[in-house]
Amino acid sequence: MSGVPGANPLRDAQDRRLPRIAGPSGLVIFGVTGDLSRKKLMPAVYDLANRGLLPPGFSLIGFARRDWEDEDFAQVVHDAVKEHSRTPFREEVWQQLSQGMRFVQGNFDDDVAFETLRATIEELDKAQGTGGNFAFYLSVPPKFFPKVVQQLKKHGLADQKDGSWRRAVIEKPFGHDLKSAQELNQLVHDVFPPNEVFRIDHYLGKETVQNILALRFANTMWEPIWNRSYVDHVQITMAEDIGIGGRAGYYDGIGAARDVIQNHLLQLLALTAMEEPGSFHPKALVAEKLKVLTAVELPEDLGKHTVRGQYTHAWQGGEEALGYLEEDGIDPKSKTDTFAAIKLTINNRRWAGVPFYLRTGKRLGRRVTEIAVVFKRAPYLPFESGATEELGGNALVIRVQPDEGVTVRFGSKVPGTSMEVRDVTMDFAYGESFTESSPEAYERLILDVLLGDANLFPRHQEVELSWNILDPIEEYWDKHGKPAQYPAGTWGPAEADEMLARDGRSWRRP
Amino acid sequence: MKIDLTETTSSKINQALVSARRAVGAPAIGMVLTLVIVTDEENAYDALKAASDSSREHPSRIIAVIKRLSRSPRTRRDARLDAEIRVGSDSGSGETVVLRLHGELANHAQSVVLPLLLPDAPVVVWWPQDSPADPAKDALGALAQRRITDTYSAEHPLEELAMRAQTYQPGDTDLAWTRITPWRSMLAAALDQQPAEVVSATVEGESDNPSCELLAMWLADRLGVPVERTTSGGPGLTAVRMTTKNGDIVLDRADGSLATLCMVGQPDRAVALKRRETAELLAEELRRLDPDNIYESTVKFGVEHLDRKDADAPAKKAADPTPPAKKAAPAKKAAAK
C-alpha cells in the first residue's frame, strides 16, 4: 500500500507473475524488406505482443525503398508473422499490433523520407501514445550505416528529449578491424549516447548462452574445478554446414574469423572464462568481460597455432557442394578464409597455461555450436593397464545450438566380469526439461532494447578489444601463405588437426 | 504407448513405468515435477488434456487420481487399484499415470501416490473441482509444495474464496487468481505510464466469477482505496476503472478477447486480453513453485471489505459516471442481462 513515494503501488518485487512490460515505445526498422526483418524481427515483435510483453500502443514503422502503403506493409508483416512466429497466431493480438503499423517509403539519402519519418513518429505519439520513445533498428548493409545515422541526426530523430529516449540497434559487422570499428563507434556515438546504442549479437540472446552464467554462478559443483588445476583446455566451436549462399559480396574479403570469431566466439570465451561479477548489473558484467578479454594473449608463433582454410568441391551429406573459389561472385584467386582455428591463452591466475581453441567454418560436418571444457586426466589410475585405455578426459560440453543442453562426459565401468572403464555421457537437454518455452534470441533482445537493459549486448569496448585480439592474426595471414584446403562436409583442413596434435591434443567431433 | 494394469499396486506401476520407458527407447528422464490431479471420471478427460498440453512447457509426471465412489457396502469393502500408464507420444512430453481407486482405497489415495512421486522433484497437486476445505491438511495436499485449487468451479465461489483465505498456507494458489495475471500486468503498466494517485476503483464482471473479486481485492489491498465491485453479463471480467485525480484509467473488455485502454490525455488503445485456456493457466502456475505472497495478501484482504453493488441494486449501474474518453461501451449493454 504505502512504499516509496512515486513508485507504482501495483508493482511489488514479490509479484513475480507480472512480466516486465516495456514502457510506451515504438520500433523503426530500416531495411524492413530484408530477410532478417521478415524471418526474425517481425515474428519476434509479434511473439512479444502475444506474450503480453509489449506496451499498449506499441508501434512498428518500416522504412524501405519499396513503394508500399501502410496496408501493404501490414500485409507483409502479417504473412511473415503467420509463417515464422513461434507462438500461435491470434487475431486479437494482431489487431492490437496492426493499429500501430506504418510504412515510410524512401532512400537513405532522401531528406523528404526522413521528414516523413519524423512526422510519422509524431503522429504515432499522438495516436498511439508512444511518448516519443523509439528504437531505430538498422538492419542495413554496413555501407549504408553512416548515411542512415547521419540522416537520423540531421532530422533531429536521434534527439533525446525530456524524459523520452531514442535508441540505435545495430547488427554485426561492427567494422572489419580495430580502426574501422573505432570509426564506426565514433560515428554512432556522435549521434546516440553510448548507453543508448545496442549492438546485437544474437548469440548472447540464446538461452543456452545465458545459461552459461547460471551454470557457473548458481551452482557450487563447477566452480572449484573451473581453473587451471583441473581444466586441460577449452574448445569453442561454431560450425555451419552451409556455404556462403548469396552472401558472396559481403563474405569475400571478410572471412570466417572476422565474421564469427571476432564477435560470437570471443563473447563465448569471455563468458566461459570471466570471473564472477559482483552483480548482474550491466556495468559489473561488462567489467568482468573486459578484464578477461584484456588478459587474452596470442601465441608467439602464429604460423603454428592458427589455421585458416577454404572448402573445396566435394560431396557433402548426399549433395554435391561447390568449392569456395567456384562460388558465384568469388574471385578464383581469393584468399578469404571459410575456416579459421586459433589458439589463445588467458594470462591470469585462473587460466594461465590453459589453451582456448576457437574454430569456426562453413561447409563443415554439421551445424553445431558448442563450448567444451575438457578436464585433465586423473593423475593416477589404480586400474590394470588396459582397463582405462578407452577413457578420455572428463568433459563438460555446453551445446549452444542445435539441441541445446549440457553434456557431462565421464568414465564408467563396462558391465561384465573384467574391469574396463569407458567414456559415458550424462545429458541435460533443454528440449527435455523446458520444452517449447525457450523464446527466440531476437525476442529477448528486442524486449531488452525497449526496456533499456544492456546486459546481453556487447559494449563498444568489447568490440574494440576483440579486434585487438584478431587484428594481428589477420595481418599475419595477409602476409604469409594462403588458406589450407578442405573438402566440403569434413571437419576442416588437416592443418587444424596438426595444430592440436602439436600440443598433444585433438579436436572433439562435435 | 499405453499399459493397462488392473488390481495392481504402486510398485508394479513403477516397474511398468521403467519398462515402458525402455520400450520407447528413452531411458533418460528430464521431467521437472510431479503433477497430481485429483478428479472424478467426469472431469478427468479435460483435466488430463490441459495437463498434458502444459507438460509441453513443463515436462512432468502426471498422476491422475480418480476416485470411484462405491454405491453399496459390498463394493466398498472391495478396495482395488487400476492403473493406466501412458508414455511417449500418448502423453505430452512426460509420462502419465491414471489411477482409479475403488472402494475403501479412495480414502487412502496418498498411499498409492507417494511411491510414484519423482525423486527430488517438486510435487504439485491440482484439484480442477471439489477442492478440499483445507488443501494443506488434505492427505494428498500435504505431499505437495504447490496446491492449486479453482474457486471458479465451486458451487458458491465467494464462500469458497473466504475459506481459501482462512486456510491459506504458503504454496496455496488458485486458478481464479492465475486468470487475472494479464489484467494485473496491464493495469500495472498503465500506472507506470501515468503515475497518478488512484482515489477509487471499480471492477466489473460476471456475478459468480471470483476472479473479479480477487482483482478488486488486489486493487484495494495495493492501492489502499475503496474498490467497488459491480456485475455485468460477462464474459468473465469486463472492465476495470481506476479513478485518479487527473481522470480515469479504464480497461474495458467487452468480448473476452480485445480490450480497450483509455487514459486521460492519451489516445485509446487496443490491448489483446484473451481469456486463456486451462492449459495456459496451468503452465503459468507451474512456472514458479515458491509461495505467492501477493496472492496471500490479496485473498486475506477479505471479500466482505469490498463495496458490492450487484444483486440488490443492479439498476443503479446506469447512474455510473461515464469517463470523458469512453465511447459507447458495449459492455454496458451486456450488463443489463
Side-chain angles (χ1 to χ4, degrees):
Chain A
M1 275 179 269
S2 54
V4 198
N8 186 343
L10 295 184
R11 291 223 182 262
D12 188 314
Q14 289 186 30
D15 199 345
R16 283 179 290 248
R17 284 173 197 261
L18 296 193
R20 306 185 305 164
I21 295 190
S25 53
L27 182 68
V28 182
I29 304 180
F30 290 97
V32 76
T33 46
D35 249 17
L36 178 81
S37 163
R38 278 190 305 111
K39 289 197 181 138
K40 297 284 183 192
L41 303 183
M42 294 173 185
V45 166
Y46 171 82
D47 287 330
L48 283 174
N50 200 1
R51 291 200 290 150
L53 301 178
L54 291 184
F58 176 83
S59 301
L60 181 68
I61 306 180
F63 188 106
R65 227 169 317 161
R66 217 63 71 83
D67 186 13
W68 281 347
E69 295 295 323
D70 289 348
E71 294 79 42
D72 303 324
F73 175 54
Q75 189 58 43
V76 170
V77 183
H78 184 269
D79 296 346
V81 164
K82 273 217 157 156
E83 195 176 344
H84 299 290
S85 73
R86 182 175 64 87
T87 53
F89 187 83
R90 288 184 180 149
E91 194 55 38
E92 72 277 3
V93 176
W94 175 251
Q95 279 181 33
Q96 173 188 345
L97 260 187
S98 61
Q99 285 188 353
M101 276 188 204
R102 303 288 184 275
F103 183 77
V104 177
Q105 190 231 337
N107 282 321
F108 297 137
D109 47 11
D110 182 356
D111 284 336
V112 181
F114 277 82
E115 277 306 308
T116 317
L117 178 61
R118 200 176 66 170
T120 310
I121 285 177
E122 281 162 7
E123 183 255 319
L124 282 171
D125 281 346
K126 285 205 191 76
Q128 292 280 100
T130 37
N133 303 314
F134 277 85
F136 299 95
Y137 198 117
L138 275 65
S139 177
V140 298
K143 62 178 173 191
F144 294 121
F145 240 82
K147 189 80 226 167
V148 178
V149 174
Q150 278 154 10
Q151 284 281 39
L152 288 174
K153 185 183 183 183
K154 182 173 167 192
H155 295 275
L157 287 161
D159 299 350
Q160 321 275 335
K161 288 185 203 116
D162 39 39
S164 70
W165 50 257
R166 295 290 161 95
R167 296 187 178 131
V169 187
I170 58 182
E171 285 267 351
K172 70 166 193 179
F174 312 122
H176 53 87
D177 56 12
L178 179 60
K179 194 164 152 284
S180 59
Q182 282 170 335
E183 281 167 12
L184 179 74
N185 284 336
Q186 207 169 8
L187 182 90
V188 180
H189 291 168
D190 187 35
V191 180
F192 292 93
N195 60 333
E196 302 288 8
V197 180
F198 291 77
R199 291 169 185 77
I200 294 254
D201 181 337
H202 67 273
Y203 260 70
L204 298 188
K206 285 191 183 293
E207 287 290 335
T208 22
V209 173
Q210 296 168 43
N211 190 39
I212 299 173
L213 298 177
L215 184 85
R216 289 193 55 200
F217 303 126
N219 297 307
T220 50
M221 59 198 281
W222 307 116
E223 184 54 28
I225 54 170
W226 209 261
N227 56 50
R228 60 178 313 243
S229 311
Y230 293 93
V231 176
D232 181 66
H233 68 283
V234 177
Q235 297 185 10
I236 304 179
T237 303
M238 177 179 158
E240 288 176 282
D241 53 3
I242 49 166
I244 52 161
R247 292 167 76 218
Y250 163 70
Y251 201 84
D252 201 39
I254 295 288
R258 287 194 180 101
D259 190 36
V260 174
I261 292 184
Q262 183 269 333
N263 37 57
H264 305 319
L265 295 196
L266 283 176
Q267 283 288 333
L268 293 182
L269 174 137
L271 291 170
T272 310
M274 71 182 200
E275 297 296 318
E276 183 176 25
S279 72
F280 277 137
H281 188 274
K283 274 204 181 123
L285 201 63
V286 82
E288 293 304 336
K289 277 158 86 185
L290 288 177
K291 256 160 67 187
V292 77
L293 286 174
T294 322
V296 167
E297 195 179 78
L298 294 176
E300 264 176 37
D301 187 347
L302 289 174
K304 276 200 177 130
H305 298 293
T306 69
V307 170
R308 65 190 155 142
Q310 265 177 355
Y311 57 84
T312 56
H313 193 118
W315 283 81
Q316 178 192 23
E319 280 176 316
E320 198 170 0
L322 289 179
Y324 178 70
L325 298 178
E326 302 160 348
E327 299 263 12
D328 258 358
I330 299 294
D331 175 7
K333 289 200 277 298
S334 169
K335 281 169 72 182
T336 302
D337 48 310
T338 65
F339 175 94
I342 60 174
K343 172 185 176 180
L344 299 173
T345 45
I346 297 174
N347 285 337
N348 61 22
R349 181 170 276 243
R350 187 189 283 268
W351 294 116
V354 179
F356 282 69
Y357 299 104
L358 275 48
R359 69 171 158 169
T360 181
K362 295 210 172 270
R363 289 254 182 249
L364 295 183
R366 69 185 185 98
R367 171 174 166 262
V368 60
T369 303
E370 64 168 38
I371 302 165
V373 180
V374 182
F375 295 96
K376 291 185 173 161
R377 290 178 68 109
Y380 167 70
L381 292 163
F383 306 97
E384 286 170 39
S385 67
T388 54
E389 217 149 65
E390 289 180 64
L391 182 68
N394 295 161
L396 174 78
V397 183
I398 299 168
R399 303 193 306 271
V400 176
Q401 74 171 14
D403 185 25
E404 295 88 343
V406 181
T407 302
V408 181
R409 187 179 66 180
F410 57 97
S412 172
K413 182 183 173 300
V414 180
T417 47
S418 67
M419 189 56 165
E420 201 183 322
V421 183
R422 185 185 289 173
D423 283 330
V424 294
T425 57
M426 204 157 69
D427 209 62
F428 155 71
Y430 260 79
E432 221 170 75
S433 296
F434 308 103
T435 17
E436 277 192 25
S437 65
S438 294
E440 273 277 330
Y442 278 97
E443 251 175 279
R444 173 71 196 266
L445 295 176
I446 290 177
L447 180 64
D448 280 1
V449 168
L450 298 177
L451 288 164
D453 182 346
N455 241 339
L456 299 179
F457 300 85
R459 310 257 88 179
H460 66 100
Q461 305 97 314
E462 291 170 65
V463 172
E464 289 172 13
L465 273 175
S466 305
W467 283 120
N468 234 346
I469 295 167
L470 196 61
D471 275 356
I473 297 175
E474 291 284 354
E475 271 163 39
Y476 179 88
W477 284 349
D478 237 16
K479 293 194 190 110
H480 299 82
K482 53 179 199 178
Q485 307 288 309
Y486 63 98
T490 61
W491 283 106
E495 284 82 347
D497 297 333
E498 287 160 20
M499 172 181 137
L500 259 72
R502 240 171 254 138
D503 294 349
R505 301 189 175 97
S506 62
W507 291 108
R508 269 173 55 83
R509 182 165 38 75
Chain B
M1 161 168 203
K2 278 188 191 180
I3 302 174
D4 271 317
L5 299 170
T6 44
E7 292 189 53
T8 187
T9 62
S10 298
S11 83
K12 283 184 194 152
I13 296 171
N14 261 329
Q15 282 170 19
L17 276 169
V18 172
S19 54
R21 253 187 265 127
R22 287 245 170 92
V24 296
I29 42 172
M31 288 173 288
V32 293
L33 55 91
T34 308
L35 174 65
V36 181
I37 309 172
V38 188
T39 182
D40 52 25
E41 288 291 359
E42 188 188 344
N43 296 292
Y45 178 80
D46 287 343
L48 272 169
K49 189 164 182 311
S52 114
D53 285 351
S54 74
S55 82
R56 304 212 176 278
E57 185 172 325
H58 309 277
S60 39
R61 175 177 288 176
I62 300 167
I63 302 177
V65 177
I66 300 174
K67 297 180 180 178
R68 300 288 291 248
L69 297 174
S70 319
R71 292 203 174 73
S72 66
R74 194 179 57 79
T75 51
R76 211 167 301 143
R77 277 194 302 278
D78 180 24
R80 194 176 94 221
L81 173 65
D82 293 344
E84 184 186 325
I85 293 169
R86 303 178 198 161
V87 259
S89 55
D90 289 318
S91 166
S93 65
E95 46 197 28
T96 304
V97 183
V98 182
L99 302 171
R100 290 191 168 79
L101 278 54
H102 301 262
E104 176 65 17
L105 187 59
N107 300 326
H108 305 282
Q110 80 283 1
S111 75
V112 181
V113 171
L114 186 67
L116 296 178
L117 301 177
L118 287 174
D120 223 11
V123 179
V124 178
V125 178
W126 171 37
W127 293 272
Q129 72 295 311
D130 300 328
S131 26
D134 189 345
K137 293 231 169 70
D138 179 84
L140 277 171
L143 297 175
Q145 277 87 348
R146 189 82 165 177
R147 294 165 294 273
I148 307 173
T149 53
D150 190 355
T151 43
Y152 185 60
S153 69
E155 195 108 352
H156 304 288
L158 294 192
E159 286 160 33
E160 182 104 351
L161 209 52
M163 199 153 67
R164 293 281 153 263
Q166 268 171 29
T167 60
Y168 177 87
Q169 288 294 320
D172 285 3
T173 177
D174 197 284
L175 289 188
W177 171 247
T178 321
R179 287 189 184 93
I180 56 174
T181 306
W183 282 81
R184 296 196 303 123
S185 87
M186 198 46 69
L187 292 169
L191 272 200
D192 280 342
Q193 293 186 21
Q194 204 166 69
E197 197 189 320
V198 179
V199 290
S200 69
T202 313
V203 175
E204 179 197 271
E206 285 171 339
S207 63
D208 56 350
N209 191 329
S211 291
C212 306
E213 266 74 21
L214 281 167
L215 186 59
M217 289 195 287
W218 176 66
L219 286 172
D221 184 37
R222 303 296 309 174
L223 300 171
V225 299
V227 177
E228 191 185 325
R229 159 79 163 97
T230 58
T231 51
S232 73
L237 265 157
T238 48
V240 173
R241 171 176 313 138
M242 295 191 289
T243 308
T244 73
K245 283 177 182 143
N246 310 340
D248 284 5
I249 297 173
V250 182
L251 188 56
D252 189 335
R253 182 189 70 178
D255 62 356
S257 80
L258 193 67
T260 316
L261 177 66
C262 314
M263 287 157 81
V264 190
Q266 287 197 20
D268 290 4
R269 281 163 301 197
V271 180
L273 265 185
K274 180 144 176 85
R275 308 191 72 193
R276 295 180 295 168
E277 304 284 331
T278 314
E280 288 171 78
L281 300 175
L282 205 55
E284 177 188 320
E285 222 27 85
L286 299 180
R287 230 163 270 157
R288 306 203 72 98
L289 298 174
D290 48 348
D292 188 341
N293 300 338
I294 305 292
Y295 168 68
E296 175 184 5
S297 169
T298 300
V299 77
K300 284 185 175 167
F301 180 82
V303 186
E304 63 280 7
H305 294 118
L306 292 177
D307 251 345
R308 275 193 81 87
K309 293 218 177 122
D310 42 3
D312 22 2
K316 273 197 185 155
K317 280 196 51 51
D320 272 2
T322 311
K326 199 160 156 163
K327 291 174 274 180
K332 296 279 165 190
K333 278 177 229 145
K337 284 193 189 174

